[in-house]
């Protein structure tokens, strides 16, 4: 072979080699929360949705700053006050190769209301829907029971399943993988409860091909274990970086961190509906004549007793922003004019005295110890602060699954909760509205706070298809609820991801961790 022939052959071989894509590595992610089910319509918890959104998609989506963007629906419009039309993407395939159609979308919207024994969450997103009809294979028409401007945001929370595979499926069919057939960037491989979910890239996905052909989502709620797995190289990424480890991780040149203020508000619900809430008694342990949390002066005293700045700086080590709103800054309906309650323990004592509790009373503060950033430390710190104003406070911290069980049995009176939402009116509907199962209101209103004015403003906001008017009403409802201390806002989380130095990720306000959004870092 002469020199020219050899060079030509070499170039041809190089070209052939370049035409074959190099196999992408596996991405291994450490998740912080317990995953209780793979059924995308069973329980609306962030850990469940994090894993589900790798396999399933929704009609509408949101960008990293929670701005509404197209998903499986390319566009949508309100035909009238009660009717919305969604134009669906063409050529979208489920993991089994079948075509995604409006029939699958209509079925998925109806499914949350048909699940028996659901712990809650998804039904509220579709309570307003009267019917969802496939006009043709790529046009869906949704009719609501009443004017409902928030429908596009609501449908972001409803993941689209294959009607063929989910028609008669229960949660066990999703956990086994039989019904885990979506349109998303990854397809189901194996699920080991309490440990991991293994996924493979869906090469037929309509979006930009993910960088990773295999993904392992490891469930590691224990902060030290999650950090150790990252440092040892067992994981490539972890979410919710423990505040105690953050400084050392930032100093590690093999790793880097990305952060943003989360949409999640950490708050305290106070029982305002029972005459004698559990765990609440006089300073001598005897029952009180009435529920002290019904008195706005007592709620204000509790708020004044909490040093939010100290919690943000010391307990959270900078991973928090003191809160005064139901939603964090930049979220639809946030009111920047509301300022966090100043720390004033002496003023709090005076208010308790005015309310008839000069010697305070006893309370039990309950919450999770494995769900939110430093949640148990927050509980202990709040307990110490409340004890200083005369409220003898005992802490009951437990795994999130156990805590939710206690709450549903109505065994708690002062409860820690974290809540994130795309909009203030949607957050108020779940957290503050008077419970109304028919409308899906108040599903997470553990304190049973009720204010008809707040509810009326919220309903007007949700009914408006004019986004400017809707936001003004949502902000007004948010302001009134916070002035009334429907619950005690503590702080908005600052959420962090730590990863290998050669990876990149745009920090998301909604806290979601998506493998297909990670990419090799540009050098």
């Amino acid at each position: 072979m002469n020199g020219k022939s050899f060079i030509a052959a070499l170039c041809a071989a190089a070209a052939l080699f370049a035409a074959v894509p190099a196999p992408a590595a596996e991405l291994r992610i450490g998740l912080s929360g317990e995953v209780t089910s793979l059924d995308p319509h069973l329980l609306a918890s962030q850990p469940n949705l994090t894993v589900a959104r790798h396999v399933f998609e929704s009609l509408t989506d949101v960008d990293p700053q929670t701005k509404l963007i197209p998903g499986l629906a390319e566009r949508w419009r309100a035909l009238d006050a009660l009717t919305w039309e969604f134009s669906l993407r063409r050529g979208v395939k489920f993991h089994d190769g079948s075509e995604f159609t409006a029939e699958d979308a209509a079925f998925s919207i109806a499914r949350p209301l048909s699940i028996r024994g659901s712990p809650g969450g998804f039904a509220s997103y579709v309570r307003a829907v009267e019917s969802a009809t496939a006009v043709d294979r790529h046009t869906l028409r949704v009719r609501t029971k009443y004017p409902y401007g928030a429908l596009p945001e609501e449908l972001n929370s409803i993941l689209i399943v294959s009607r063929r595979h989910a028609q008669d499926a229960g949660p066990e069919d999703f956990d086994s993988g039989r019904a885990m057939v979506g349109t998303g960037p990854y397809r189901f491989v194996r699920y080991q409860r309490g440990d991991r979910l293994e996924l493979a890239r869906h090469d037929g996905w309509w979006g930009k091909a993910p960088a990773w052909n295999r993904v392992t989502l490891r469930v590691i709620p224990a902060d030290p274990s999650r950090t150790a797995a990252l440092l040892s190289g067992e994981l490539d990424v972890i979410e919710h970086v423990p505040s105690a480890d953050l400084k050392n991780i930032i100093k590690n040149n093999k790793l880097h961190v990305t952060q943003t203020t989360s949409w999640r508000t950490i708050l305290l619900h106070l029982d305002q509906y029972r005459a004698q809430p559990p765990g609440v008694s006089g300073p001598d342990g005897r029952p009180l004549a009435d529920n002290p949390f019904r008195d706005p002066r007592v709620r204000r005293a509790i708020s004044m007793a909490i040093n939010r700045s100290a919690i943000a700086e010391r307990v959270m080590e900078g991973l928090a922003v003191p809160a005064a709103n139901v939603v964090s800054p930049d979220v639809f309906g946030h009111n920047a004019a509301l300022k966090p309650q100043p720390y004033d323990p002496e003023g709090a004592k005076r208010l308790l005295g005015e309310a008839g509790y000069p010697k305070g009373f006893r309370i039990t503060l309950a919450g999770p110890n494995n769900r939110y950033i430093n949640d148990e430390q927050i509980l202990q710190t709040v307990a110490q602060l409340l004890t200083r104003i005369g409220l003898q406070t005992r802490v009951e911290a437990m795994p999130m699954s156990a805590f939710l069980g206690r709450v549903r049995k109505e065994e708690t009176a002062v409860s820690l909760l974290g809540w994130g939402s795309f909009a203030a009116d949607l957050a108020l509907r779940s957290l503050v509205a008077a419970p109304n199962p028919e409308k899906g209101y108040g599903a997470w209103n553990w304190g049973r706070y009720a204010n008809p004015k707040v509810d009326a403003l919220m309903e007007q906001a949700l009914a408006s298809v004019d986004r400017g008017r809707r936001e003004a009403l949502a902000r007004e409802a948010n302001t009134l609820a916070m002035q009334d201390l429907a619950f005690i806002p503590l702080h908005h989380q600052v959420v962090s991801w730590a990863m290998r130095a050669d990876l990149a990720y745009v920090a998301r306000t909604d806290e979601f961790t998506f493998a297909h959004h990670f990419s090799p870092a540009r050098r």
Side-chain angles (χ1 to χ4, degrees):
M1 182 181 291
N2 62 34
K4 288 184 178 179
S5 298
F6 176 76
I7 292 172
L10 192 63
C11 290
L16 180 62
F17 180 77
V20 179
E26 177 184 9
L27 187 68
R28 302 161 301 172
I29 300 175
L31 303 180
S32 61
E34 294 179 272
V35 177
T36 59
S37 175
L38 298 187
D39 188 327
H41 301 144
L42 185 68
L43 175 63
S45 73
Q46 183 104 7
N48 288 7
L49 286 169
T50 293
V51 298
R53 284 185 176 276
H54 285 79
V55 175
F56 303 103
E57 299 175 281
S58 47
L59 295 180
T60 60
D61 202 353
V62 293
D63 69 10
Q65 290 75 45
T66 68
K67 178 183 177 183
L68 202 63
I69 59 174
L72 289 176
E74 291 185 305
R75 58 190 177 276
W76 51 89
R77 60 179 178 146
L79 300 181
D80 55 49
L82 297 177
T83 311
W84 290 81
E85 187 174 272
F86 294 81
S87 298
L88 310 184
R89 292 185 187 276
R90 296 171 182 267
V92 175
K93 301 291 185 181
F94 282 103
H95 298 159
D96 65 351
S98 62
E99 182 187 13
F100 157 66
T101 72
E103 291 288 351
D104 298 297
F107 170 79
S108 300
I109 291 171
R111 185 173 181 267
L113 292 174
S114 69
I115 298 177
R116 295 181 179 180
S118 170
F122 286 103
S124 62
Y125 301 129
V126 293
R127 288 288 185 193
V129 175
E130 182 175 273
S131 63
T133 306
V135 178
D136 56 42
R137 293 182 71 80
H138 301 104
T139 306
L140 178 73
R141 196 163 289 166
V142 180
R143 187 167 180 82
T144 57
K145 300 172 185 176
Y146 37 81
Y148 201 60
L151 185 69
E153 282 96 342
E154 297 284 56
L155 293 185
N156 171 256
S157 298
I158 301 300
L159 298 182
I160 304 302
V161 298
S162 162
R163 180 173 184 172
R164 173 186 171 189
H165 291 276
Q167 181 80 56
D168 300 310
E172 65 283 357
D173 297 303
F174 287 91
D175 289 355
S176 70
R178 189 185 73 80
M180 287 289 285
V181 180
T183 61
Y186 286 97
R187 55 183 175 80
F188 176 92
V189 174
R190 187 172 73 96
Y191 173 52
Q192 187 173 341
R193 180 178 294 277
D195 182 41
R196 69 187 65 200
L197 174 67
E198 296 176 7
L199 304 167
R201 185 168 58 196
H202 170 36
D203 291 327
W205 189 43
W206 60 268
K208 180 181 177 181
W212 326 104
N213 60 8
R214 293 187 69 84
V215 168
T216 298
L217 302 175
R218 290 276 308 279
V219 178
I220 310 179
D223 288 347
S225 299
R226 202 164 60 256
T227 299
L230 176 69
L231 294 174
S232 69
E234 184 182 342
L235 294 175
D236 304 306
V237 179
I238 62 171
E239 64 176 10
H240 293 296
V241 183
S243 59
D245 300 327
L246 189 59
K247 291 180 181 178
N248 288 332
I249 289 176
I250 290 174
K251 292 177 183 177
N252 189 326
N253 60 13
K254 295 182 180 180
L255 304 171
H256 78 103
V257 173
T258 184
Q259 297 178 311
T260 192
T261 301
S262 162
W263 66 349
R264 190 173 304 281
T265 304
I266 303 298
L267 57 97
L268 292 177
H269 268 309
L270 305 177
D271 184 313
Q272 299 177 46
Y273 67 102
R274 287 176 283 191
Q276 295 183 332
V280 180
S281 64
D284 57 0
R286 295 180 181 178
L288 293 170
D290 197 10
N291 181 343
F293 304 133
R294 290 173 173 169
D295 191 323
R297 293 171 296 183
V298 173
R299 300 199 297 274
R300 179 68 58 189
I302 290 173
S303 185
M304 293 167 70
I306 297 172
N307 190 337
R308 292 168 176 79
S309 295
I311 290 175
E313 294 168 10
R314 299 172 198 167
V315 178
M316 298 296 290
E317 299 187 63
L319 296 183
V321 176
N325 272 254
V326 69
V327 289
S328 64
D330 298 328
V331 174
F332 187 89
H334 177 90
N335 184 356
L338 289 174
K339 303 301 179 184
Q341 174 72 57
Y343 176 51
D344 184 2
E346 294 306 315
K349 291 177 184 178
R350 285 194 296 272
L351 274 180
L352 285 178
E354 291 174 14
Y357 305 98
K359 295 182 180 180
F361 48 88
R362 296 182 183 180
I363 63 174
T364 298
L365 173 58
N369 59 10
N370 66 345
R371 178 62 187 92
Y372 313 116
I373 301 172
N374 296 342
D375 41 19
E376 185 167 5
Q377 295 94 311
I378 293 167
L379 290 167
Q380 296 293 349
T381 302
V382 169
Q384 292 171 17
L385 292 168
L386 295 183
T387 298
R388 291 175 187 176
I389 66 166
L391 302 184
Q392 302 172 43
T393 307
R394 185 170 69 90
V395 170
E396 289 185 347
M398 64 203 81
M400 187 65 174
S401 56
F403 172 59
L404 288 177
R406 293 281 306 279
V407 171
R408 292 192 187 97
K409 293 177 182 177
E410 300 184 338
E411 296 175 353
T412 65
V414 185
S415 309
L416 183 80
L417 177 66
W419 192 263
S421 184
F422 301 120
D425 48 2
L426 294 175
L428 292 169
R429 180 197 61 188
S430 294
L431 295 173
V432 166
N436 183 329
E438 180 64 26
K439 292 185 176 181
Y441 291 173
W444 296 79
N445 182 358
W446 295 344
R448 305 279 182 88
Y449 166 84
N451 185 327
K453 291 183 179 179
V454 172
D455 287 359
L457 287 167
M458 178 205 69
E459 289 194 298
Q460 291 174 49
L462 291 172
S464 179
V465 295
D466 180 324
R467 285 188 69 81
R469 172 174 166 73
R470 180 185 161 201
E471 183 164 22
L473 289 165
R475 186 177 290 118
E476 187 178 353
N478 169 25
T479 301
L480 181 55
M482 292 299 90
Q483 289 174 340
D484 203 22
L485 288 175
F487 56 74
I488 309 297
L490 300 180
H491 57 262
H492 308 299
Q493 289 188 167
V494 171
V495 63
S496 306
W497 290 261
M499 65 202 76
R500 293 189 337 235
D502 62 346
L503 296 176
Y505 191 70
V506 177
R508 296 184 61 90
T509 299
D510 60 16
E511 296 190 2
F512 280 114
T513 302
F514 296 141
H516 48 297
H517 287 191
F518 284 90
S519 62
R522 293 182 179 179
R523 296 292 184 179

